Amino acid sequence: MEQFEGPFLLVDPQRCMGCHTCELACAAAHTRAGSIIGAVLARERLHRRNRVVQVDGVKLPVQCRQCQDAPCVRVCPTGATYRTETYTAVDQARCIGCRLCMMVCPFGAIHVATTTVAGQERRAAFKCDLCVNRLGGPACVAACPTQALSLRYPQQEADRASQAAARQFLRSLASQPQLGS
Amino acid sequence: MAYSDKILKKSIDPTVHQMLARAQELGLETAWDRYEAMLPECGFGELGVCCRNCNMGPCRISPFEDAGPKRGVCGATADIIVARNLIRMIAAGAAAHSDHGRDLAHTLLMTAEGKGGGYEIRDEQKLQTLAAEYNISTEGRSKEEIALDLAGAVYAEFGKQEGPIRFSRRAPRKRVDLWQKLGIDPRGVDREIVEIMHRTHIGVDNDPVNLILQGLRASIADGWGGSMIATEISDVLFGTPKPTRSLANLGVLKADEVNIIVHGHEPTLSEMIVAASRDAELLALAAKLGAKGINVVGLCCTGNEVLMRHGIPIAGNFLQQELAVITGAVEAIIVDVQCIMPALGNLTGCFHTKFISTSPKAKFPGAIHIEFHEDQAYDIAKEIVRGAVENYRWRKPGQVVIPDEKVECLVGFSTEAILAALGGSLEPLLEQIKSGAIKGLAGVVGCNNPKVQHDFGHVNLVKELIRNNVLVVTTGCNAIACAKVGLMLPEAAAQAGDGLKVVCQSLGIPPVLHMGSCVDISRILTVCAAVASALGVDISDLPVAGAAPEWMSEKAVSIGSYVVSSGIFTVLGTVPPVLGSTAVTELLTTGAKEAIGATFAVEPDPFQAAQLMISHIEDKRAALGL
């Protein structure tokens, strides 16, 4: 089962320049026009599902962590927020804009804003959907000029980390021959 | 009253704390709130590596070696982009100062022609001196005839194609020779600014050193050209500042008078506002409406101009402009150009305050535009003041919160006033420098910036310098910060080191001398040039240093560049957008030393910045054998 666990966005704070390009790319990817300029020309609303924040001089983008046991899913009274096999989703058609998901999200990754659902203006929840319908994966990852963002699988990450730790361990062993002798 | 840590961290000024708490209570936003909302600011912008000079871009260079583009679409590297962006900032700053100078030349011309609606030549002595500098004959001629020739000559400096710019020859011979050797002796004020715009167009000058040199040339045209013209002509028209006592900080607003704030940078209109505020008819109108009088106060450099010449109290520096409105006691805030926040439009809409723009160059959303023209100067000023007085009846006394704080200050130390204080010659000052009683001179200037605690850098840097026997001369928002904490009183000598203390006490001067508005940094150049010439050395040999602890404007970039180009080591308190290029950063912080005898340094901590300046001054003293 482990290898089927859904992917998530990995952020490298050391690479984030705080340029907000990921926010614009996110908003553009979720418009009909598919681009910022196209959306502005068509007077479409732009909504980003991520947010670049700064804490003590360090900048980094924050977005949905795609929690397995997601508080937003548990709290949603209408089933608008739900969990698929790979990610946590919002069905805006079922959303009543109650903001309970906003309240319980530990990351501040959900917001409620005005949008058009089935031809009607209403308030609904927005959150990162990992651009599941976009060829080539998340728009923010593709747009980041410094590659501070990447889409990763938990198993892959665990493998990478344990490999790196093992390599470090072996290297330190090699530098201390007396331990080997 | 106790304020939150968040408020206390924003400024060291208690009036700011009080007014920020008041803003919070009223749900009003200020520059500090907007700064927070802006975070995080774009790192590419901070490093200066984004280029919008053509439409193949916008381009930006990644600072990470293994990721992102290293060249713009045209092939421009970070070095090229940073150098181009920096000198475009210089162009804008030099243009702002120089346009201010040009407007004063225009006023002088109109006055000389008898078309200036209320202006006159107040300082005939200075007119004569300047005329001599320009080889204009004065024998048996009226002051208007001389002024007409002077105005023409000064006007011509802007559009000139070949140099020299006359005032640049006030620099010591060695400095001028150096400028000529480097090919940065400016030709005409406008020409150097235009040439920056040409060189930074796509596909023109792409050599970072060559670009920076042109930036320096334009900055010299600002400091020794446009700015110096603005200062000198202001003195001719409005009088050369002399030591005057006044008051500083928001407490200068009065609960029972019509409060008029003059804000911006040019003295032209504010001079007339001051005159109109003394008009018997308007005073009578104010009394009829229940006000005890008409209280004109200044903000920013327009404030510095009328503070220096008329002792008009100053309400605060750049970051206090919104706070002044939040007192609810301002009938009108009258603005001309530069450093005026467009936020004032919305903010004044929350009060009875009239926001009046006056320059054909500067209109603001939410402002009433009453255009200023020199030929009807007094009449227009009177109408503006009348509007303010009539507005008094709409003040809501319940909404008025004026901080108590106001501090006395002694201001008005023009070059001439310093000479007079010294008994007519620089000799006593030189003696004190030689004896070591005064270690050296520091020019501390520049803006406020919400990135750093308001006034913290200004006040602490200056205090540290005077404690170490460095005489401080100041202009602009730094000067206002110093005035607000009492550093501009002769009594402040007690805070100076033993040597400087005795000198100040014997002359009756403060250890921090107010030399005017930001264009008046040209006065500091004049003093340095005079000292260097008296000693037969270059400015770069003198025990002097400069600093801008809280700078933010493009004018400050131009100022820093002409100060360094003039041979003065300069410490910046906020980081300029150049770090994206190692080559440009090194050129400015080390390489420039060999070429022009001075460099920039960046040091946000005011105490360490003072140490950098003091050790520089010590080195220069040692080199001079002092």
Side-chain angles (χ1 to χ4, degrees), chain A residues 127-143:
Chain A
K127 68 174 283 301
C128 166
D129 58 3
L130 294 177
C131 290
V132 282
N133 296 322
R134 184 181 179 273
L135 287 172
C140 57
V141 173

Side-chain angles (χ1 to χ4, degrees), chain B residues 42-43 69 104 142 175 256 343 359 379 442 462 483 525 557 565 586 602 623:
Chain B
C42 173
L104 282 153
S142 72
R175 188 56 26 189
D256 51 4
S359 166
D379 295 340
V462 168
L525 295 180
V557 180
S565 300
E586 279 178 7
V602 177

